[in-house]
């Protein structure tokens, strides 16, 4: 799996339209609040030109790309944490995602109502962020109540947990996201176990109209300025246009994008930003005539990467035989790469590099 991504935003920001264009999953799309009551889930293969090139060289019987999961939930409204709209009940569906794609409306459409009656991307971002912060405070308060009971009866580990919880609570009460806290060691483990929404990496999806794409509006510029201040990435997507493109035949899509001056598909652009935000790398394996792509965080030790394939491989790890993608392509085969000394034998301390083609040796 590449990564799991939760899509949030105000009602009618175009989340489900974008979800459909990215996944071609047929989620319901409507211009009224809360049309997405149950979360839409879409699983899509990650486009990978290196995987395609490798498949063209070694001709495996099976090619398996890494995947990306999208969770599209109902639009958040101001006051959701106090029960407005559907409340924040649906936020539980995205507590275990790796990143949040915050969809912001940057398009005019008289037929699609805006909750506040006007376009203002900065205001909309702040409304959604505040609801996520308030939802995290509720999660934290429930956890604190349980741990305080344990602390009163002398549970040793509860003291450190409460210390972490109070630090998080102070930050959230200031209207700041939990992800700004620089925890390490045991404190980091306690913090991670909370699965707070505002602890997750975020990138913005600016849902624009064709006028904004041509630079004729100010909404996108405001949105980009805000994202730059926060240090988050932005994917610019024209939801309606992408929905039209998704209806075309595969061979017609790229031609249409080129005519519009769009670089790559919206899915490719989103994946690129998501991988940057999460600092992910992709490696490849060839086992039993299957060529497969795997995604792990940068800096993952070889045994842990092997464990993504099977727990026995991590437990009985001996070594990793690795060759870089570029070296493999230049040599034409693993055999030639080995003859030239480009096939490396790496131990337990080896950190997986992007583009590695690896054979894990293990014994259980």
């Amino acid at each position: 799996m590449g990564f799991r991504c939760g899509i949030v935003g105000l009602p009618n920001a175009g989340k489900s339209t974008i979800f459909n264009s990215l996944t071609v999953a047929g989620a319901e799309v409507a211009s009224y609040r809360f049309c997405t009551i149950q979360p839409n889930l879409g699983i899509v293969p990650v486009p990978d030109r290196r995987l395609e090139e490798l498949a063209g060289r070694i001709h495996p019987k099976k090619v398996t790309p890494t995947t990306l999961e999208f969770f599209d939930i109902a639009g958040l409204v101001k006051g959701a944490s106090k029960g407005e709209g559907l409340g924040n009940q649906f936020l539980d569906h995205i507590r275990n995602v790796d990143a949040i794609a915050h969809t912001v409306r940057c398009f005019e459409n008289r037929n699609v109502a805006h909750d506040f009656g006007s376009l203002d991307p900065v205001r909309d971002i702040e409304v959604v962020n505040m609801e996520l912060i308030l939802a995290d405070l509720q999660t934290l308060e429930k956890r604190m109540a349980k741990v305080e009971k344990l602390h009163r009866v002398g549970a040793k580990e509860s003291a450190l947990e409460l210390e972490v919880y109070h630090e998080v609570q102070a930050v959230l009460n200031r209207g700041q996201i939990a992800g700004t806290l620089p925890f390490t060691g045991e404190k980091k483990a306690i913090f991670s176990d909370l699965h707070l929404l505002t602890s997750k990496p975020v990138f913005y999806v600016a849902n624009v109209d064709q006028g904004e794409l041509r630079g004729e509006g100010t909404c996108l510029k405001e949105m980009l300025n805000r994202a730059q201040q926060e240090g988050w990435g932005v994917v610019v997507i024209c939801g309606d246009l992408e929905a039209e493109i998704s209806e075309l035949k595969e061979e017609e899509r790229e031609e249409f994008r080129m005519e519009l001056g769009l670089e790559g598909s919206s899915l490719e652009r989103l994946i690129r930003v998501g991988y940057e935000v999460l600092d992910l790398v992709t490696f490849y394996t060839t086992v039993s005539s299957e060529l497969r792509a795997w995604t792990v965080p940068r800096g993952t030790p070889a045994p842990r990467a092997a464990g993504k394939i099977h727990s026995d491989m991590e437990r009985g790890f001996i070594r990793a035989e690795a060759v870089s993608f570029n070296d493999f392509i230049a040599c034409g085969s693993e055999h030639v790469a080995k003859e030239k000394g480009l096939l490396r034998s790496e131990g337990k301390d080896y950190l997986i590099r992007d583009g590695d083609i690896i054979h894990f040796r293990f014994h259980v």
Side-chain angles (χ1 to χ4, degrees), residues 271-317:
I271 288 170
R272 194 179 308 126
V273 172
Y275 271 53
E276 289 172 0
V277 165
L278 292 167
D279 201 15
L280 301 176
V281 298
T282 301
F283 71 93
Y284 307 91
T285 59
T286 54
V287 180
S288 301
S289 299
E290 178 186 13
L291 169 64
R292 184 161 184 168
W294 306 84
T295 299
V296 293
R298 190 181 305 278
T300 296
R304 194 180 306 164
K308 278 187 69 83
I309 302 170
H310 198 285
S311 58
D312 284 349
M313 296 178 73
E314 180 173 8
R315 186 159 54 93
F317 179 89

Side-chain angles (χ1 to χ4, degrees), residues 62-228:
K62 185 179 181 182
V63 178
T64 304
T66 188
T67 58
L68 171 58
E69 288 188 10
F70 287 104
F71 293 84
D72 172 34
I73 65 169
L76 289 169
V77 297
K78 189 174 183 178
S81 58
K82 299 176 182 178
E84 290 294 325
L86 295 178
N88 56 29
Q89 55 185 293
F90 34 72
L91 289 174
D92 285 337
H93 294 298
I94 60 168
R95 288 202 179 276
N96 292 315
V97 299
D98 300 306
I100 289 177
H102 185 159
T103 304
V104 183
R105 179 170 172 171
C106 292
F107 66 88
E108 293 279 6
N109 189 329
R110 294 178 182 176
N111 298 319
V112 181
H114 191 294
D115 259 29
F116 300 108
S118 63
L119 288 184
D120 186 337
V122 174
R123 173 202 60 206
D124 294 353
I125 287 171
E126 290 174 350
V127 167
V128 171
N129 283 350
M130 184 52 64
E131 292 306 320
L132 296 178
I133 287 170
L134 292 171
D136 278 350
L137 276 169
Q138 290 181 356
T139 298
L140 187 62
E141 286 164 5
K142 290 177 183 177
R143 185 70 69 90
M144 287 176 74
K146 292 179 181 179
V147 176
E148 281 169 351
K149 289 180 181 178
L150 294 172
H151 187 59
R152 284 196 291 270
V153 297
K156 293 181 179 179
E157 68 278 3
S158 60
L160 185 60
E161 288 181 43
L162 285 174
E163 184 181 335
V164 171
Y165 296 166
H166 283 120
E167 288 184 54
V168 176
Q169 189 179 47
V171 166
L172 294 174
N173 280 332
R174 291 197 297 268
Q176 299 173 337
I177 62 172
T180 58
L181 286 161
F183 287 124
T184 58
E186 287 184 65
K187 283 190 171 184
K188 184 176 181 180
I190 293 168
F191 175 66
S192 298
D193 189 54
L194 287 168
H195 298 291
L196 297 179
L197 296 163
T198 63
S199 69
K200 300 180 185 301
V202 173
F203 59 93
Y204 292 113
V205 178
N207 188 10
V208 304
D209 53 32
Q210 293 190 49
E212 288 282 353
L213 269 184
R214 293 191 295 268
E216 297 170 0
T218 60
C219 193
L220 179 58
K221 185 176 180 181
E222 293 174 16
M223 160 93 220
L224 292 171
N225 287 339
R226 171 59 182 252
Q228 186 176 26

